[in-house]
Amino acid sequence: MAARGTLKTLGSNADLAVVTVNRQLTTILLAAIALVATLVSPVAAEEPDAAGSEVTVEGGGWGHGIGMSQYGAYGQALEGKTAEEIVGYYYTGSSTAPIVDQVGESHFLITDPTPLWVNLLANKVVFRFEAIGGPLTVCQSGAGGCNYEASPGEVWRLRTVGDGTCQLESDGEPVTEPGDCLATVKGMSPDGSRIEIAGLDVNRDEFARGAVRVRTPNAGNSFHVSLEINLEEYLYGLAEVPFSWHSEALRAQALAGRSYATWRLITRGPEADFSQERRTTCWCHMYATTVDQSYSGWANEAVSGSSKWQAAVNSTANIVITHPAASQANVVAAFYSSSTGGRTENNDDIWGGSPVSYLRSRPDPWSQDPAVNNPFGRWAFGFNEDELAVKFGVDKIDGMQIVARYSSGTPSAVDIYTRTDGVQRTITRSGPELYTLLGLRGRNISGFDYGSIAAVGGDFTGDGRSDVGMFTGFNSTWWVGESILGEFTMDPWLNYTVNNSLRDQVVGDFDGDGKDDLVALQANSGKLLFARSTGGRFGLEAWANHAVANRWGPLLVGDFDGDGVDDLAEYENAGERWRVYRINDGELIREFWYDFSVVNPSWATHVAADYNGDGKDDILSLDANTGGLTVLFSDGAGFMPSTWQSLPGSASWRDVQAADFTGDGKDDLAAYDPATARWWIVPGRAGTTGGAPAAWFTFAYTEQEFVAQVAGDFNNDGKSDIAAYSRITGKLKVLKSNGSAFTKAVWGVVPAKHRVTAVLAIDANGDGKLDIATWDNTLRRWWVARNRAGTNFKVTPWNTLLR
C-alpha cells in the first residue's frame, strides 16, 4: 500500500520481511519462425561478449500477496459475496466478533478512548506545523504546559537546540525558553481546526482528529512525531481502496484494517508500556505508511464520496476478524495487498517463519477478472542484462530460469547464470528476493521474455527422426531438441556470443553426410554462418562476410545442381542477383548463378522447388503488385528465367509455399488469398510455364486465427496436403489433397490454443509420416501431434525450453 491521496493507490500492509526431414520438408521449413523464449543455462562463449540482451520480467499482482487481495475482494463483492464471506475466504477458517469479546472490558483497548499511536515523522530535529481553519493548543511539558495558542497563518516549529533541549517557536520567534522535547498539539476537530504538518506527502499532511505527540527516544538529540487517536476515527483516515467500490468490498477492507490495527495494539501494548525498541524506533504502534497501513488523515475524509467509506467503517464498528489459532487474543494479523498473480501466498513462503493457519494460499481469480479493472493484474518490467549484472554484482548475466515454485505459483527458486572474470557461476534467488532487488510490483513472476528466437525442423543427428532446432538470442545459443523415445531432449549445440542478430536461418544437409546443418545470416556483422552438424553439436564456419548485411536475403535451400546434396541460394536484393553455395568433394564453391539486371522492388516472396520435375530445384519469385510468377530454372550450373504464370488479381498473398499437391512428381505452388478466402494452386509441369491456376478450396478465417499453415504429405498418398493450426480453437485442421482439390478435416486439438506461436511439420518418430510440432510460448513447451495412420493426430506435450 502506497497511498496517492484521494486517488487511493492499492498496495499491501506490513510489507515486512519476517525474515523431411526429407528433401520436401526441408523446402517447407525455409523461414525462421518467431518465438519468445524463457532463459536457459549458458554454454562456453567462443567470441567476446556483445551488449546485454533485453529481458522482460513478466508477472502479476501488487504487494506481498498474503491474506486478503483487495482487488479480489472487490471482484467477490461484485459477485454478491458479503464482507464477512470475503474475509472468511481470504483468512482461512476465520470469523468475525466484537473486540470486547476477545480482550475483555478491562483491556486498555476498551478503557482508553485514544489507544492507538501512529507515527508520522521519525528521528527529526525540526517539527514544523500550522493551524488550519481555527486555533490549536500547543503544549511543551517542561516549559509552561499547554499555555500556547497557534493561530491560522502562523508557522510554528519545535527544534532541538542541544544539551537535550528543544525550543518552541512561532514565525521564527521563541515562544518559550529551551526546555524538554515532550510536546503536544491538540484541539483538532473535523468541524473546526486542523493541523498541517510539514515534511509529509501532499494529500496526507492534514489531521483533524486525535492529538499530535512529540516524544524523544534519546534525551533530546532527535524526536518522533506521532498521532494519538481513537481506533474507529483512525479508520476514517485509512486510504486503502477507492470509495467507488462495492460497499461489501469497503466493509471487508474496514474489517481487515481494524483487525490489523487491533493486532498491532495487542502485540505492542499501551503507550506507557512501550519497549525501548518501540520508543527508539518510532514511539508508535504503527506507521502511517505502507509499512503498516496507508493512513492519510483528513484528506481521506474531505474528499467527495468519503461518506461511503465512513458508512463501511460504522457498519462494522468494533468488529474484528478472529481465528482460534491467532496468537493475540484470537485477533488475526489481517495482512492484505492490492492483488495477486491469481493466487494468494502462504505467509511462510514469502516471509519465512512458521506457517500461520489463517494465512494460507488461496485461489484469487477475481483479482485477474477484467471486471475489476486491475492495472497490475498482469505486469511486465523491462531490463537490460547489463543492468541486471550490476544489480547482482557480477560481470555478465547469461540468463535466468525459474526452477521451482511455491503452491501459489510464485518462484521459490530462480537460477541466475552469471560470469565474473570469465568464471561461470549459478546463483539462486526466490521471487520475493527478485521483487526487492529489481523493484517489481509483486512477487509472482510468471516468466522471462527475451524477445524473438527461431525454430526450424531437421534431422540434425542423422538418426532418421526429425529434431527441432531453436536459437535463443538472449545468450546466442543454438539448441537442438532431439527426438528420443517419444520425447525431446533439449541440449545446447553451439554458443556464439555475438550472433544475437541472426536472421534467415535455414536447414539442409549441405555436406551430404546424412545430418542436417544450419545456415544463417548475421545481420550486425554481415557474416553468412554455416553451422555444420557433427551429430551432437554444431561446428561454425563463415561462408561469406558481406560488407552491408541488409543488402542480402532471403536464403533458400534446394538441390540446385541435381547431385542429391542440398545447396544454398542467397539473394542480393540491392543487385537483384542470386549466388549459390555448394559443397563439392568437401570444398565450398560460391558462384553467381543469375543477375536480373533490372531491379524489381516488388518481389514479395521467393520459393525454391523443382517446378519442372527434372531433378534440379528452381527458384520462383512472386511480384506483389501484379501477381506475376517468374521462375529461374536451374540447368545445374546457372538459372534461366521464364515467365511462368500469374496468380489472379494482385492480392496480399499469404502462406506461399511449394510442394507436390497433384502427385505427379513435380512441385506445385500454393498461395492463400485472404481477400477471397481461397487456396490457389498453380501446377508445376515439364517445360517453362506452369499450369493454369485453380482455386482448390475456400477456407474462410479471421486474419489472426492461424499461426501458420504448413504443407506436407500427411496421409502418405503421394500428394501433399496443408495443415493449419487455429489459435482460437486449438484445432489442427488438415486440407487433404485428392490431386485436384482440398477437403477439410480436424485431425486433433492442441490445448495451448492462442499460446502457440510456431508450427513445424516434422517426422518426430521416424515412421515416415509427417507429424506437427507446436510451440507453447507461455508454458515454454513443445506439443507434438503424432500422425496416426494418416487419419488423425495424437497430441502430447513433449519438452520445455526453460530460462
Side-chain angles (χ1 to χ4, degrees):
M1 269 163 327
R4 51 183 187 195
T6 57
L7 295 180
K8 300 295 185 300
T9 297
L10 293 137
S12 51
N13 66 344
D15 202 354
L16 305 170
V18 181
V19 224
T20 116
V21 168
N22 53 28
R23 282 273 305 106
Q24 185 186 45
L25 183 54
T26 301
T27 302
I28 296 169
L29 303 174
L30 296 176
I33 300 173
L35 298 173
V36 178
T38 48
L39 278 169
V40 286
S41 176
V43 293
E46 297 181 6
E47 289 205 6
D49 292 343
S53 300
E54 296 298 319
V55 56
T56 299
V57 181
E58 300 173 333
W62 185 2
H64 52 63
I66 296 170
M68 187 177 74
S69 160
Q70 291 169 308
Y71 271 102
Y74 178 34
Q76 289 203 37
L78 293 178
E79 290 186 357
K81 295 291 194 302
T82 66
E84 290 74 15
E85 290 173 321
I86 293 169
V87 297
Y89 176 82
Y90 286 111
Y91 304 106
T92 312
S94 68
S95 56
T96 58
I99 298 175
V100 67
D101 290 352
Q102 309 307 306
V103 301
E105 293 183 352
S106 62
H107 197 278
F108 83 97
L109 272 173
I110 307 302
T111 60
D112 187 345
T114 56
L116 180 61
W117 284 54
V118 181
N119 182 265
L120 305 177
L121 298 169
N123 298 309
K124 298 298 181 181
V125 295
V126 177
F127 165 44
R128 294 182 180 88
F129 62 93
E130 292 184 46
I132 305 292
L136 297 173
T137 300
V138 183
C139 317
Q140 188 179 9
S141 299
C146 294
N147 298 327
Y148 312 106
E149 181 178 284
S151 300
E154 298 173 346
V155 178
W156 284 66
R157 71 176 183 172
L158 180 75
R159 65 184 181 91
T160 60
V161 292
D163 298 325
T165 61
C166 287
Q167 175 76 60
L168 187 64
E169 300 172 346
S170 175
D171 287 339
E173 298 295 327
V175 174
T176 66
E177 294 296 325
D180 63 35
C181 296
L182 303 180
T184 297
V185 182
K186 59 185 181 180
M188 290 91 77
S189 168
D191 300 323
S193 305
R194 304 186 302 278
I195 186 173
E196 181 181 291
I197 299 177
L200 296 177
D201 293 340
V202 176
N203 292 328
R204 57 185 308 136
D205 58 356
E206 290 186 31
F207 304 93
R209 298 179 186 274
V212 174
R213 306 291 189 182
V214 179
R215 296 291 184 266
T216 178
N218 50 24
N221 293 317
S222 66
F223 47 72
H224 303 309
V225 180
S226 296
L227 180 69
E228 182 185 9
I229 192 170
N230 174 271
L231 178 56
E232 296 301 312
E233 292 184 339
Y234 160 79
L235 292 174
Y236 291 153
L238 201 60
E240 283 293 347
V241 294
F243 298 148
S244 61
W245 277 13
H246 193 285
S247 60
E248 291 303 315
L250 299 183
R251 294 182 69 249
Q253 179 61 57
L255 287 168
R258 182 182 297 106
S259 300
Y260 178 83
T262 301
W263 173 72
R264 283 296 193 208
L265 279 162
I266 298 173
T267 302
R268 287 163 179 166
E271 181 268 339
D273 295 339
F274 277 167
S275 67
Q276 187 58 44
E277 183 271 334
R278 293 311 300 169
R279 293 169 183 258
T280 301
T281 303
C282 66
W283 212 295
C284 70
H285 293 98
M286 298 168 58
Y287 289 93
T289 66
T290 56
V291 170
D292 282 301
Q293 300 191 114
S294 181
Y295 178 74
S296 62
W298 176 248
N300 206 57
E301 297 189 54
V303 70
S304 175
S306 63
S307 59
K308 188 176 178 182
W309 167 243
Q310 292 181 19
V313 173
N314 294 338
S315 70
T316 60
N318 301 307
I319 303 297
V320 290
I321 307 167
T322 66
H323 190 281
S327 60
Q328 303 299 333
N330 292 344
V331 178
V332 306
F335 296 105
Y336 54 87
S337 62
S338 172
S339 65
T340 68
R343 190 178 180 96
T344 68
E345 306 283 356
N346 292 320
N347 69 289
D348 45 310
D349 289 339
I350 302 302
W351 290 335
S354 301
V356 176
S357 57
Y358 55 83
L359 297 177
R360 300 293 83 199
S361 178
R362 302 297 305 273
D364 182 36
W366 303 277
S367 68
Q368 311 293 308
D369 190 336
V372 304
N373 196 29
N374 182 0
F376 296 108
R378 293 278 182 261
W379 45 253
F381 290 89
F383 299 92
N384 183 281
E385 282 195 334
D386 292 340
E387 295 178 72
L388 294 178
V390 173
K391 290 180 180 294
F392 284 106
V394 297
D395 291 347
K396 177 71 176 173
I397 294 287
D398 286 324
M400 294 186 287
Q401 173 183 346
I402 298 173
V403 295
R405 295 182 184 270
Y406 299 123
S407 60
S408 64
T410 289
S412 59
V414 178
D415 281 353
I416 300 103
Y417 307 110
T418 73
R419 275 180 283 160
T420 299
D421 296 329
V423 178
Q424 293 180 330
R425 185 169 70 96
T426 299
I427 59 179
T428 302
R429 297 289 184 269
S430 67
E433 289 174 307
L434 291 180
Y435 158 84
T436 301
L437 183 67
L438 304 183
L440 304 175
R441 284 291 182 188
R443 279 79 166 165
N444 199 325
I445 300 168
S446 57
F448 305 97
D449 181 352
Y450 273 72
S452 64
I453 69 170
V456 290
D459 183 4
F460 302 109
T461 60
D463 62 0
R465 295 188 297 265
S466 296
D467 312 305
V468 171
M470 301 181 70
F471 172 71
T472 52
F474 70 89
N475 63 354
S476 304
T477 300
W478 268 302
W479 296 77
V480 170
E482 183 182 354
S483 176
I484 300 176
L485 300 177
E487 293 286 340
F488 282 143
T489 60
M490 197 69 68
D491 296 302
W493 275 36
L494 176 69
N495 177 258
Y496 182 61
T497 60
V498 295
N499 65 1
N500 57 343
S501 61
L502 291 183
R503 61 181 175 86
D504 296 327
Q505 297 180 87
V506 293
V507 177
D509 181 7
F510 299 103
D511 55 8
D513 66 352
K515 298 182 288 291
D516 279 328
D517 316 300
L518 282 169
V519 175
L521 180 63
Q522 186 178 9
N524 60 356
S525 71
K527 291 181 181 179
L528 185 67
L529 300 174
F530 172 49
R532 186 196 303 265
S533 171
T534 65
R537 63 168 282 120
F538 291 125
L540 200 63
E541 304 170 25
W543 274 6
N545 195 349
H546 304 307
V548 183
N550 61 12
R551 291 170 55 111
W552 294 86
L555 306 177
L556 299 182
V557 178
D559 180 8
F560 300 113
D561 59 5
D563 67 351
V565 178
D566 287 327
D567 312 309
L568 179 79
E570 183 183 31
Y571 185 55
E572 185 184 9
N573 52 65
E576 297 285 339
R577 57 182 180 169
W578 285 96
R579 180 155 68 177
V580 172
Y581 298 77
R582 298 178 293 150
I583 295 179
N584 189 358
D585 292 330
E587 180 183 356
L588 175 65
I589 301 172
R590 294 177 290 191
E591 303 168 317
F592 282 105
W593 274 34
Y594 188 74
D595 189 334
F596 278 100
S597 299
V598 178
V599 174
N600 179 3
S602 300
W603 293 132
T605 306
H606 305 281
V607 184
D610 183 4
Y611 297 102
N612 58 3
D614 66 353
K616 296 181 286 292
D617 280 328
D618 318 301
I619 294 177
L620 178 147
S621 299
L622 167 63
D623 187 312
N625 289 335
T626 66
L629 301 170
T630 299
V631 172
L632 302 181
F633 286 103
S634 172
D635 63 7
F639 292 129
M640 298 295 295
S642 176
T643 301
W644 194 60
Q645 256 301 346
S646 182
L647 287 166
S650 56
S652 299
W653 298 97
R654 291 182 54 184
D655 299 296
V656 180
Q657 51 197 304
D660 184 6
F661 298 103
T662 59
D664 63 356
K666 294 178 284 294
D667 286 327
D668 315 305
L669 185 76
Y672 183 77
D673 177 6
T676 60
R678 290 178 178 174
W679 271 104
W680 288 83
I681 300 295
V682 182
R685 63 183 186 183
T688 58
T689 59
W696 274 32
F697 192 74
T698 300
F699 196 20
Y701 61 86
T702 60
E703 183 70 13
Q704 300 300 320
E705 178 173 353
F706 288 102
V707 174
Q709 303 193 71
V710 295
D713 184 4
F714 294 101
N715 59 355
N716 283 34
D717 65 353
K719 298 180 286 291
S720 290
D721 317 299
I722 291 175
Y725 177 79
S726 169
R727 71 172 77 242
I728 296 175
T729 64
K731 293 179 179 178
L732 281 164
K733 302 177 182 181
V734 174
L735 303 183
K736 189 171 65 174
S737 170
N738 62 12
S740 60
F742 291 131
T743 57
K744 182 181 70 172
V746 176
W747 275 31
V749 177
V750 179
K753 295 185 180 179
H754 63 279
R755 302 195 306 262
V756 167
T757 57
V759 178
L760 303 177
I762 63 172
D763 181 4
N765 53 5
D767 65 354
K769 296 188 287 291
L770 282 181
D771 313 302
I772 293 290
T774 64
W775 173 253
D776 178 341
N777 189 51
T778 300
L779 299 182
R780 319 312 196 200
R781 170 186 292 168
W782 281 103
W783 293 82
V784 173
R786 224 169 21 232
N787 195 328
R788 297 194 294 193
T791 57
N792 57 61
F793 294 126
K794 180 182 180 180
V795 180
T796 55
W798 274 28
N799 206 348
T800 57
L801 179 66
L802 295 175
R803 290 204 70 121

